[in-house]
Structure formats: structure tokens, C-alpha cells
Amino acid sequence: MKRGLFFWGAFILVAVIIAGGFFYLGRKPSLLDPLNAIPEVEADQSWLLLESPGDQLSLLEWPEDKNEVSTVEVFTKDILGLSSLSSKVALWVQLPYGDRWYGAFQIPKEEIDSLRALKTPERWRSRFPNCVVGETSEGAIKIKFSEDSEPVVGAVERGTLLLSKDAHGLSKMYEAIETPSKRMKVKWDVKPSLPAHLVVFDDGKLASKLGEKLGVDEDLGKSLPLTFTLGWESSDDRGNIFWNINGLEDVFASNDVAGLIEPISWEGEFFVPDPLVAAFAFNAKGLVADTMREGFEEAASKAYSERKELLELLDGVIISMVGGKSRVALLSLPGILVQLPERGDKGVEAVNELWDSFWLDPRPIEGFAAGGAVAFPFTLIGAADERLVLLGAIDLNTLIKNKSVTEIIGYDKPSLGWLYVDFPKAAEALEDLQKINSLSTKVGVTNTPDLEKIEQTISRLKQLGRLKMVFYDLKSGEARWEPSN
């Protein structure tokens, strides 16, 4: 009996060992999560972190500029190109100049095999026709993506290509893979369920450098750090993006800006140019304080004979739009329209004073108690009643009346402001300006804009669609892009 038990016990044990061996040997090795290869970083530096599937990165790409020659631009082009060929990517870059960086890219097995054999993967050749794969003296993979690129070092680990600027960076990445406590600690502040995320952390250095370039005396970086987080999802020619800026409220705390402005519901109906090229709206209620007025005082006194009360019109909701048509003599240009809701008697008084200063007799507009429009020698609108002030240079016949903000941007939540841009229509508007510019050059006008640069801008804008963006508060918002009609 005991011998039988021993026999069957031994048999079962051997069977379990054999089955386990088949299971282990037949199992595919688990892929490395690219984010697990990004090392932790010191606190006193600015950096960028990206985690995304490769098919979500068209948002970060821009049509190629054949004149780009800077090291930063070449590096960005190389890394984004490789990222778009990857199923998933994690990338950390020290800002502002990329002195250190770590990248982990999930790529197909056949490409891993090619790199191990020190060959350029076949699929890479269309993106990097001059790519060269070699080996460093330490035995690491060396990749030079193009003639203008700096060589980078790499290794392959569980279906993932690890890249860095040098061998030390590669060593840090292996430490992160092997020791979880040495990995980058990440918490996505914006919709963790989204497939793609980007974080930019500024400890003050970026803002300080920006202030220096702009000639600002005050150190812009002293109120930081800031953490700017993006999350997005895109497919083909449409998508959604969300953002959050932690720390921005501290920047405005000293001048109480955060307490002055507040989100509002964008109710009511307004005039909209046809076609609508772009629009921007913001609730500026409370921002026109004495300190703000001082900056405009001299200009206002010259333009309106010391009538500074006109500046009070800025205190409230401001809606500005570009589109429709305007005319200066025989030239047709895109129109400009500004709408100021709920200005009451001050709006009516301001418009009357405006027309008095121009010595023009406008044609009244139905529904408005004051002002009107003129069509020659140039188009001009200045009209008001208690509920709305209209100001601009636009043909009245190219305006659509009684259109809601929701129809324009598609968002109905309270917000500080919103932005709308139809890029293909902006390209059409630039084409009109280009014709005028060409005509001006032929008749001898100098100092006109560069026609070639205008053509490049038009070409790029035509490739984009329509952007709708809403600012919920000082630190957060969302945007949507979609094909233009």
C-alpha cells in the first residue's frame, strides 16, 4: 500500500514538473511597460514626460520645414518619428535643451531582431532613409537616424527599444526596470483613462528664461513650480484634449486676479460673421481696475479727446470675431467684429461719442437705439442698445443674427472663455490678403510681407481642421478638433 502511494505520488510530482516546464517554456515573455523604464529624477529641474500609443502622436507633429537645422528640432523630428512607429512610447526629456533624456519604444519583434543584428529595420527606411545602426565600444546599439542627427545609444529589453543620449542614461534606465523604487513616479491629473498623456514640469527655470527673452524685469519663475498636464484621444482627423495647470493659481495670488474673474454661462444670441474664421470670448468682469486703465490712459485720451469712460466698456464679457467681409475703397478683406453684452446706458453713450469723434453719419441698424453702420469709403459698425454693443470693421450684410454660443463651440458648461478657429477658412482669408500683397508689390509698395512665407502658412493651415477650445477656469479646460465644413 505504501509502495503504491509512493509510486503515484512520485508520478504526479513528475507530471506537474513536466507540465510546468512546458507552460513556462511555451509562454511568450511579457512585454516591458515603457513607463517602467523611465528613471526617477531630481526635484530641482524642469522636464517633459510623454506616455502614448504611437498612433496618438499626430497631435504633436507639424508639417516638415525643409529649413530646420537646429539640434533640438532634429532631435524632436527623430524621436517623434520613431514614436509614431511604436505601439507604445514613454519619453522623458530635461528642459529646456534636452541635456538628458530617456526613451522607451515598444516595437515589433522583427524590428527588435534587426536591431540586435545591427541592421536598420525595413519599416524605418521610409521614415529614416539615411538611418545607420551600429555598435558602441561598450557593446550597446548605436543609432544615427539621419545625417543631421546626433548618434544615440540603445538596447532592447522584452520587446522594447531603450534609447538615451549616452551609456550612463541607458544604465539609469536598467536600474529603473530592475528596481521599482527607482522609477519615475507618475500620477495623471487629467482623465487617467485617456490613451495619451503629456506632463511638463517647470521648477522656475523655464519661466525665468522666458521672462529674460521678453525683457520682463520681474522674475517670472519665483512663484513656481508649475505642472502642466495634457490628456488626449484622437482618431483620423478629429479628437479631444483636456488640460490642467497645477500651481497657476499661486502665480495670480499676489494680484488677486483669480478672485476677480469667474466662469459664466454663455447665454443669449449674438451676431456671427459668415463665413466665421475665428472667434475669442472672455469674461473680463472686474479686470478693468485702475492699474489696468493707467496703461491705456494716454492712448485713450488722444483717440477720444480725454473720454476715458470708453475704457469701462472693457469691464465685462468681450466677444471678438474675424470673418465675413469688410471693404476699404475697392479692396475686400476679412471683417472684424467685437460684441460687448449688457453694457447698459454706458454702451449707448460710448457709441454716440464714438461717431461724434469720426464726424460720420451712420445708417441706423434695426433693433439698436444708437449708432449704425457705414459702407463707404470703408465698412464700419458702431451700434448699441442696453443689451449689446457692436463695434467693428465689417459689412453688415455678412453677419448672421441671433446665433448662440453653443452653436459655435458646442460646449454649454460655465467657463471663463472660449476660442474657435477654422484653419482652412483662415487659409482662404490669407489667400485674399496674399492677392492684395502681390498687387501692392507690383505698384511699388515696399516692406510688404514675404509672399513665400505666406504661401507656406496657407499650405499648413489647409491641412488642419476646426478647433474649438473652452477655458473652464484659470487652470483647466478642454478642446476639440474636427474637419472643417
Side-chain angles (χ1 to χ4, degrees):
M1 182 69 176
K2 289 182 180 179
R3 292 177 61 188
L5 289 173
F6 175 80
F7 171 80
W8 287 110
F11 179 82
I12 293 172
L13 178 61
V14 171
V16 168
I17 292 173
I18 293 174
F22 276 115
F23 174 76
Y24 179 80
L25 294 173
R27 184 181 60 179
K28 291 183 179 179
S30 60
L31 289 175
L32 171 67
D33 184 344
L35 197 58
N36 289 341
I38 304 300
E40 61 181 348
V41 297
E42 296 83 3
D44 59 339
Q45 58 185 305
S46 300
W47 48 264
L48 170 153
L49 176 66
L50 167 71
E51 184 191 37
S52 172
D55 61 4
Q56 293 290 316
L57 294 175
S58 59
L59 172 70
L60 304 180
E61 294 192 57
W62 185 255
E64 180 180 351
D65 185 349
K66 295 181 180 179
N67 297 318
E68 66 174 352
V69 292
S70 78
T71 303
V72 173
E73 288 174 326
V74 172
F75 167 78
T76 302
K77 177 184 173 184
D78 291 344
I79 293 302
L80 283 180
L82 177 58
S83 298
S84 67
L85 295 174
S86 308
S87 57
K88 190 176 182 182
V89 59
L91 174 69
W92 180 90
V93 180
Q94 184 180 7
L95 300 175
Y97 303 117
D99 296 329
R100 284 195 296 145
W101 60 272
Y102 312 105
F105 310 84
Q106 278 186 1
I107 56 177
K109 181 181 181 302
E110 58 269 21
E111 295 180 10
I112 292 287
D113 293 340
S114 294
L115 292 171
R116 281 195 172 121
L118 303 182
K119 296 180 180 179
T120 301
E122 192 64 33
R123 193 168 60 110
W124 291 20
R125 296 188 183 280
S126 61
R127 191 79 187 224
F128 307 111
N130 298 314
C131 179
V132 177
V133 179
E135 189 175 34
T136 68
S137 57
E138 293 87 5
I141 298 171
K142 181 172 67 174
I143 302 175
K144 187 174 171 62
F145 289 100
S146 69
E147 294 177 355
D148 298 324
S149 305
E150 294 290 330
V152 299
V153 298
V156 290
E157 182 69 28
R158 288 157 47 196
T160 300
L161 171 63
L162 309 179
L163 290 181
S164 190
K165 186 175 183 178
D166 50 36
H168 177 69
L170 207 58
S171 174
K172 298 281 287 184
M173 296 182 75
Y174 269 107
E175 286 182 10
I177 293 170
E178 295 166 2
T179 311
S181 62
K182 294 186 177 182
R183 296 172 185 168
M184 184 86 175
K185 307 299 187 296
V186 183
K187 180 182 178 182
W188 303 123
D189 291 333
V190 174
K191 293 187 177 291
S193 60
L194 291 171
H197 290 90
L198 175 72
V199 178
V200 177
F201 175 79
D202 181 16
D203 68 342
K205 294 184 180 67
L206 296 179
S208 296
K209 288 184 180 295
L210 177 62
E212 290 173 7
K213 287 187 176 182
L214 296 176
V216 179
D217 294 332
E218 184 180 0
D219 185 0
L220 295 180
K222 68 180 183 180
S223 300
L224 303 183
L226 286 180
T227 304
F228 177 54
T229 306
L230 284 176
W232 72 90
E233 182 174 23
S234 64
S235 60
D236 298 327
D237 51 3
R238 63 182 69 240
N240 288 81
I241 186 168
F242 303 81
W243 70 85
N244 188 68
I245 311 175
N246 282 328
L248 191 62
E249 60 276 9
D250 296 331
V251 175
F252 293 105
S254 60
N255 53 21
D256 296 326
V257 169
L260 290 174
I261 57 178
E262 60 181 16
I264 63 169
S265 296
W266 295 86
E267 299 173 346
E269 295 179 328
F270 302 93
F271 289 80
V272 177
D274 183 26
L276 177 61
V277 175
F280 176 72
F282 190 75
N283 178 25
K285 184 70 175 176
L287 288 180
V288 189
D290 291 338
T291 53
M292 212 175 152
R293 272 201 286 269
E294 288 172 3
F296 297 102
E297 187 171 319
E298 183 179 354
S301 61
K302 288 180 180 179
Y304 301 115
S305 305
E306 300 293 342
R307 292 166 183 154
K308 303 181 187 67
E309 64 274 9
L310 286 176
L311 289 171
E312 295 180 2
L313 288 179
L314 296 176
D315 193 31
V317 172
I318 301 173
I319 303 174
S320 56
M321 298 182 178
V322 177
K325 295 291 181 182
S326 66
R327 289 183 177 80
V328 178
L330 299 178
L331 299 178
S332 179
L333 301 167
I336 299 174
L337 179 68
V338 177
Q339 299 176 76
L340 310 172
E342 306 299 334
R343 293 313 197 263
D345 292 337
K346 289 183 179 179
V348 175
E349 294 170 7
V351 166
N352 284 329
E353 291 177 350
L354 179 66
W355 284 112
D356 289 343
S357 67
F358 279 124
W359 297 94
L360 292 171
D361 186 19
R363 177 169 55 89
I365 300 175
E366 183 180 354
F368 289 88
V374 295
F376 193 83
F378 47 82
T379 50
L380 189 65
I381 285 181
D385 59 14
E386 292 183 356
R387 64 178 181 81
L388 183 65
V389 176
L390 284 181
L391 299 170
I394 193 167
D395 187 337
L396 187 62
N397 295 320
T398 62
L399 291 180
I400 300 175
K401 187 178 179 182
N402 297 334
K403 200 165 186 178
S404 70
V405 168
T406 303
E407 289 180 80
I408 300 172
I409 61 169
Y411 296 100
D412 56 5
K413 298 178 183 177
S415 64
L416 293 181
W418 50 269
L419 172 71
Y420 172 97
V421 184
D422 191 320
F423 290 103
K425 285 187 171 59
E428 293 174 9
L430 273 179
E431 286 177 335
D432 291 340
L433 293 175
Q434 184 185 28
K435 294 173 185 176
I436 296 172
N437 187 63
S438 178
L439 179 62
S440 301
T441 303
K442 289 179 181 178
V443 298
V445 177
T446 58
N447 297 322
T448 58
D450 189 324
L451 284 175
E452 184 176 349
K453 288 185 177 179
I454 294 177
E455 288 176 359
Q456 290 176 354
T457 303
I458 290 171
S459 176
R460 290 178 174 181
L461 291 176
K462 285 181 176 179
Q463 297 177 45
L464 304 176
R466 187 168 52 191
L467 174 68
K468 299 176 180 181
M469 183 178 297
V470 61
F471 308 91
Y472 291 125
D473 49 41
L474 284 175
K475 58 181 287 187
S476 66
E478 66 176 288
R480 179 186 304 132
W481 64 97
E482 59 195 21
S484 178
N485 290 338

